[in-house]
Amino acid sequence: MKKIAILGSTGSIGTQTLDIVRANGDIRVEAIAARANIDLLEKQIREFSPKIAGVWDEKKAAELKLRVADTATKVVAGKEGILEVSTAPKAEILVTGIVGMIGIEPTIAAIRAGKDIALANKETLVCAGHIIMPLAEDRGIRILPVDSEHSAIFQSLRGNKKNRIAKILLTASGGPFRKYSAKKLKTVTLEDALKHPNWSMGPKVTIDSSTMVNKGLEVIEAHWLFNVPSDRIQVVVQPKSIIHSMVEFEDGAVMAQLGVPDMKLPIQYALYYPKRRFLAGDRLDFWTMNEIELVKPDLKKFPGLGLAYHACEKGGSLPTVLNSANEIAVSAFLKKKIAWGGISKMIAEAMEQHENYGILKEPTVEEIFEIRNSTEAWMKEKYHL
Ligand code: MG
């Protein structure tokens, strides 16, 4: 029996992780946590009988505690509760299926407690890669990527530990606005941005995908996971999401992982690594697949991607500003307070302001959160959010 804990068990990654648990029957769910969806948490508690269930929202936690009083599951609340779930005694792997910088501290706590990480929280590496990667190495912890692109790179690197990576080719769908003109991009709505052509994901990642900031965060994530500088990470737009990413070696050989777009594959691969298991679902049909279109990303229409490259190159606290400004701007866009184009504009201005002020070289976790708060305060005042 493999034992796991899941952060974000009610979200897109969390529910698909539980589908895999259900389909395989040899994984035991020790602990789960979610932000506030206690209706689904209650169902999950009754189905999987975890020892611990955490709820970020303290009021909802109190309500859930009453609802599941007849079970053996211990309900915990708030940040402390989430940390308790991350370090659940018997769990061997923590699946970090939550969105945002909130994932940083639980991931560090889990590594310290000796858990491998099935990493689905980009922000952890974007903001704190310089803390997480050396810590994991020091403790002999595996960081198993769950992001489909990074899983593809990870799979393409199998058996190539000693070979030098010449280039990472990070594929991107290009999002729903790939073919839009600059003029049409000015009038896109929230509803338009929430429609992703290939992947079914949560709202934050879907919006990030429409601006290509998601790909930018993935460039920084790849930089940390595979120890490759950003100038050797090339984004390739491949609209149908068949090639999930590629690695070019120094002899020119390119290794890729292909498949139908289904997040269950990278999740299952991380959970059973290094073994592959049967996974139900569609298979690629090369007879009906007439072409794989590959195009260059348009940095003029999607400036967020270029900003992420810049943040990755400068490093230090700048990626935290990029990510914080994006979180704040996307949240304002989701509330229809700002236009779609405002997201990348705000990120650019927040980054410029921070660079003028001075980049912090190796920020501590505490400093990372201070920078997030000061970025938020600066944006609230400047844009009246
Ligand atoms: Mg991805």
Side-chain angles (χ1 to χ4, degrees):
M1 264 303 193
K2 186 151 251 177
K3 298 186 175 72
I4 67 167
I6 308 169
L7 292 185
S9 65
T10 59
S12 171
I13 296 290
T15 52
Q16 294 185 81
T17 302
L18 291 171
D19 286 343
I20 289 162
V21 171
R22 231 177 251 124
N24 282 281
D26 61 353
I27 298 176
R28 154 98 189 126
V29 182
E30 289 287 320
I32 54 178
R35 191 175 58 84
N37 185 352
I38 55 169
D39 289 340
L40 186 50
L41 260 182
E42 182 184 349
K43 280 189 196 142
Q44 293 176 344
I45 290 171
R46 295 194 185 281
E47 183 178 356
F48 297 98
S49 313
K51 289 205 188 81
I52 314 168
V55 190
W56 176 258
D57 182 317
E58 312 225 353
K59 260 195 193 157
K60 299 265 183 183
E63 198 186 328
L64 181 68
K65 204 170 187 172
L66 292 176
R67 285 205 212 168
V68 298
D70 60 316
T71 70
T73 300
K74 176 184 167 194
V75 176
V76 292
K79 186 174 151 187
E80 287 309 310
I82 304 297
L83 289 172
E84 199 173 330
V85 167
S86 317
T87 56
K90 287 192 176 154
E92 301 152 75
I93 302 184
L94 174 70
V95 179
T96 59
I98 47 173
V99 177
M101 291 168 67
I102 194 178
I104 297 173
E105 285 166 293
T107 306
I108 292 175
I111 295 173
R112 290 213 169 107
K115 323 285 184 203
D116 283 335
I117 307 292
L119 187 98
N121 175 266
K122 298 182 171 88
E123 295 82 355
T124 310
L125 289 184
V126 168
C127 304
H130 59 286
I131 299 169
I132 304 272
M133 293 312 285
L135 180 67
E137 201 182 328
D138 186 52
R139 307 280 164 124
I141 293 303
R142 293 196 287 216
I143 308 280
L144 303 154
V146 167
D147 210 338
S148 62
E149 294 80 359
H150 303 79
S151 175
I153 297 162
F154 187 66
Q155 292 177 58
S156 302
L157 285 170
R158 284 286 293 276
N160 279 301
K161 269 217 169 94
K162 288 186 180 143
N163 290 320
R164 188 179 167 270
I165 302 171
K167 203 195 268 177
I168 283 176
L169 297 139
L170 189 71
T171 54
S173 71
F177 306 142
R178 185 175 58 87
K179 289 191 169 161
Y180 281 33
S181 65
K183 195 179 160 205
K184 203 174 167 197
L185 279 176
K186 287 198 175 123
T187 60
V188 299
T189 63
L190 174 62
E191 289 72 23
D192 298 332
L194 282 173
K195 278 182 223 140
H196 194 278
N198 310 326
W199 297 99
S200 132
M201 306 174 290
K204 163 75 167 45
V205 187
T206 305
I207 301 300
D208 286 352
S209 175
S210 80
T211 57
M212 287 195 83
V213 168
N214 179 57
K215 207 47 57 180
L217 297 175
E218 289 182 358
V219 167
I220 307 175
E221 194 185 4
H223 156 70
W224 285 113
L225 276 172
F226 308 110
N227 194 21
V228 171
S230 57
D231 61 359
R232 288 202 276 125
I233 303 172
Q234 186 181 333
V235 171
V236 179
V237 176
Q238 198 266 289
K240 288 206 170 125
S241 304
I242 300 291
I243 305 174
H244 298 314
S245 277
M246 304 175 267
V247 178
E248 184 189 302
F249 292 95
E250 54 186 339
D251 60 356
V254 177
M255 306 293 275
Q257 186 248 325
L258 283 68
V260 293
D262 182 354
M263 280 310 296
K264 285 200 193 81
L265 194 148
I267 298 170
Q268 179 169 288
Y269 190 76
L271 293 181
Y272 287 106
Y273 174 80
K275 285 203 182 109
R276 288 191 187 274
R277 284 265 180 123
F278 173 76
L279 179 65
D282 294 337
R283 299 294 186 255
L284 280 186
D285 180 355
F286 285 89
W287 303 133
T288 57
M289 220 167 62
N290 44 12
E291 62 173 17
I292 293 181
E293 188 191 358
L294 298 164
V295 282
K296 247 189 179 176
D298 187 334
L299 296 186
K300 275 207 182 110
K301 285 199 293 187
F302 303 100
L305 179 57
L307 291 167
Y309 268 101
H310 178 70
C312 189
E313 196 191 307
K314 294 273 169 176
S317 53
L318 199 56
T320 292
V321 175
L322 164 94
N323 183 68
S324 308
N326 182 54
E327 282 187 16
I328 296 151
V330 169
S331 142
F333 176 68
L334 286 170
K335 289 179 196 140
K336 299 194 172 180
K337 283 186 182 170
I338 64 165
W340 181 84
I343 300 172
S344 54
K345 189 172 162 272
M346 286 180 184
I347 300 171
E349 289 174 0
M351 281 170 65
E352 197 189 325
Q353 171 267 147
H354 186 73
E355 277 196 85
N356 291 338
Y357 179 78
I359 296 171
L360 220 65
K361 244 186 146 206
E362 292 217 319
T364 61
V365 173
E366 208 184 353
E367 285 166 336
I368 286 170
F369 283 98
E370 278 168 16
I371 291 161
R372 194 215 174 269
N373 293 341
S374 61
T375 304
E376 183 167 25
W378 184 85
M379 287 174 74
K380 280 200 165 147
E381 195 183 312
K382 180 155 171 99
Y383 307 113
H384 312 287
L385 296 174

